Amino acid sequence: MEARCDLILLNLSMPLQDSLVTVSLLRSKLPHVKVLGFSASSAELGNQPQTGFDAVLTKQDGLSELVTALEALMPEPPREG
């Protein structure tokens, strides 16, 4: 059975892999999946654009912003009826 993934929360600061390379690989393998970049601080983001991500947040943005971004990126659940 194949698992289905709709959204990936990806840390921008990974010790063994560049996040821009990772998001590019994800896009090539799973083009339908939304990718939300997450960073410990805005200083980690620097001045370079976070190309390939559907959205990018930092911990300073707060939990409510994270929830808002997740809700905006997630597909509507199928309605029963």
Side-chain angles (χ1 to χ4, degrees):
M1 175 159 71
E2 184 177 315
R4 179 160 155 60
C5 178
D6 295 315
L7 185 137
I8 294 171
L9 181 61
L10 182 66
N11 189 344
L12 296 179
S13 179
M14 297 183 293
L16 301 177
Q17 179 72 38
D18 182 292
S19 62
L20 296 178
V21 171
T22 301
V23 78
S24 177
L25 290 170
L26 288 169
R27 292 280 179 222
S28 69
K29 302 282 186 193
L30 304 165
H32 69 282
V33 172
K34 302 292 183 183
V35 183
L36 174 59
F38 197 65
S39 174
S41 71
S42 58
E44 277 185 355
L45 299 178
N47 292 326
Q48 80 181 72
Q50 299 303 318
T51 307
F53 291 91
D54 293 290
V56 176
L57 294 173
T58 68
K59 288 183 181 180
Q60 287 82 13
D61 290 322
L63 186 57
S64 64
E65 286 295 319
L66 177 59
V67 170
T68 299
L70 291 171
E71 287 175 340
L73 293 173
M74 287 298 294
E76 288 291 320
R79 295 187 185 261
E80 294 183 31

